[in-house]
Amino acid sequence: MESVNTRLLIIGSGPAGYTAAIYASRANIPLVLYEGNQPGGQLTTTTEVENFPGYPEGIQGPQLMTDLRRQAERFGADIRQGLIKSVDLSSRPFKAVAADGTEIVAEAVIISTGASAKYLGLPDENKYKGMGVSACATCDGFFYRKKRVAVVGGGDTACEEALYLAGLASEVFLIVRKPHLRASKVMQQRVLNNPKINVLFNTNTVGLYGDEFVEGANLVENIGTENEQRFDLPIDGFFLAIGHHPNTSLFPTVETDEQGYIKTALPGTATNIPGVFAAGDVADPVYRQAITAAASGCRAALDVERFLMANPL
Ligand code: NDP
């Protein structure tokens, strides 16, 4: 099995990981970056990114990630597909093992594993996973052309997914548990002005039904009040867009906050383990934007550079 000795191991792609790789490789720090299950991270499952500076006409999420990757490779970053399966952060140099058995020994680590979609926690979500339940409209929307779909959530992701699906499906229902949307005003307007999107405010999902595939959702309006009303909504697809949780299960000794986000010594990116840094959504409960993730990837690379200079092995 291959064994790799490097100065820096970056775990996770996305804007944080790739930007860290651009800065570190430009500073001549030999590095290996493992991209994980979803090379490019969450932005590869989005459509147009309109708010990343430098793209006045917007850019497709997957294209932006491909460009960042190429930029890092241009400076010599060793970028590998695949997952890191285990990490030993108990002493320097740190050790990690990839899914294909490759062993990596590194003087410093940047964790940029991002965050994953949250589910409501209904048993039916598991029952119908891949059979009408999805957390990614741009991945699976194609299967619902001219069909009826629902999106759960009231944030920017939910609005974006609803708008994307409105371009494919015959009818889109946005299921929002509050009496208002949380999304930015511009996204709210687009959703509310789209004739194909019906917003169901004050509505919760309590179950799904269907023989093999989803055929509908069991909904409750005004749950827990005297106006509570239960009804079934016939749909073919049920999309979750209720936020994300940080991917930290590989790093049980890295300190996190009560929501599970990695704690860093702000404004730096150092974690509680010297030589281990965190960047991007895995350590950001507040901003969670592509540009802020990229910026923290930059900070992590600069922090690593200083750390390696001060703590040679
Ligand atoms: P958010 O946390 O902003 O919104 C989550 C939504 O899901 C809220 O409406 C929330 O309701 C709802 N929700 C959470 N849990 C449940 C539940 N159990 N049942 C029903 N509804 C639930 O997450 P997003 O993923 O939308 O956005 C994350 C960040 O990324 C935000 O900062 C957002 O602005 C940003 N973003 C930006 C985009 C862009 O600029 N192009 C695109 C996508 C995201 P409630 O309001 O009641 O809590």
Side-chain angles (χ1 to χ4, degrees):
M1 222 18 98
E2 191 188 0
S3 182
V4 181
N5 269 286
T6 186
R7 296 207 81 193
L8 171 62
L9 169 65
I10 301 175
I11 305 176
S13 43
Y18 288 147
T19 304
I22 292 168
Y23 271 78
S25 51
R26 251 187 118 246
N28 264 342
I29 298 171
L31 71 94
V32 176
L33 181 153
Y34 269 82
E35 290 184 309
N37 262 343
Q38 195 180 62
Q42 290 174 58
L43 276 189
T44 54
T45 65
T46 192
T47 47
E48 191 160 1
V49 181
E50 293 179 329
N51 49 12
F52 200 91
Y55 298 95
E57 308 304 328
I59 182 167
Q60 294 294 313
Q63 186 61 49
L64 179 58
M65 290 306 102
T66 304
D67 290 349
L68 288 180
R69 183 190 212 275
R70 285 181 47 224
Q71 198 172 346
E73 283 176 330
R74 180 179 151 209
F75 299 113
D78 178 352
I79 297 182
R80 301 179 177 210
Q81 285 187 356
L83 276 177
I84 293 291
K85 284 302 231 193
S86 64
V87 185
D88 178 359
L89 301 176
S90 58
S91 61
R92 281 183 78 221
F94 306 115
K95 293 167 202 72
V97 182
D100 66 1
T102 303
E103 289 177 4
I104 304 109
V105 178
E107 292 176 40
V109 170
I110 294 176
I111 300 171
S112 49
T113 43
S116 298
K118 275 188 194 162
Y119 285 76
L120 294 170
L122 303 171
D124 287 342
E125 287 170 318
N126 270 335
K127 183 173 166 193
Y128 295 106
K129 215 174 214 174
M131 309 290 219
V133 171
S134 167
C136 176
T138 45
C139 315
D140 301 326
F142 183 75
F143 302 117
Y144 300 92
R145 275 174 304 163
K146 299 193 172 31
K147 296 191 171 177
R148 283 159 61 97
V149 297
V151 178
V152 186
D156 279 316
T157 303
C159 290
E160 199 175 75
E161 306 262 277
L163 287 163
Y164 178 77
L165 288 166
L168 295 162
S170 61
E171 213 171 352
V172 179
F173 297 88
L174 186 59
I175 304 172
V176 184
R177 66 179 175 181
K178 291 226 171 99
H180 52 80
L181 294 167
R182 184 197 286 203
S184 53
K185 282 280 175 280
V186 59
M187 293 301 270
Q188 291 193 26
Q189 280 314 316
R190 283 182 199 168
V191 161
L192 296 169
N193 291 337
N194 191 308
K196 274 200 185 169
I197 303 176
N198 305 291
V199 185
L200 307 177
F201 288 110
N202 296 312
T203 304
N204 282 68
T205 312
V206 290
L208 299 167
Y209 61 89
D211 274 346
E212 196 184 342
F213 291 89
V214 167
E215 291 171 23
N218 311 117
L219 304 182
V220 187
E221 196 181 348
N222 298 317
I223 201 162
T225 72
E226 57 187 22
N227 298 324
E228 180 173 302
Q229 257 193 321
R230 291 177 178 260
F231 62 103
D232 290 345
L233 179 73
I235 44 164
D236 306 291
F238 183 77
F239 289 84
L240 281 309
I242 60 168
H244 292 81
H245 62 82
N247 297 322
T248 56
S249 56
L250 265 183
F251 321 103
T253 54
V254 175
E255 211 181 317
T256 57
D257 67 12
E258 58 288 346
Q259 289 177 270
Y261 289 88
I262 293 178
K263 276 191 185 172
T264 53
L266 293 170
T269 59
T271 68
N272 60 310
I273 301 176
V276 178
F277 301 82
D281 283 12
V282 74
D284 179 4
V286 180
Y287 301 105
R288 296 177 293 187
Q289 301 297 302
I291 189 67
T292 52
S296 70
C298 159
R299 295 208 317 268
L302 296 178
D303 289 344
V304 164
E305 198 181 340
R306 287 184 195 121
F307 175 85
L308 290 177
M309 230 165 352
N311 301 275
L313 280 183

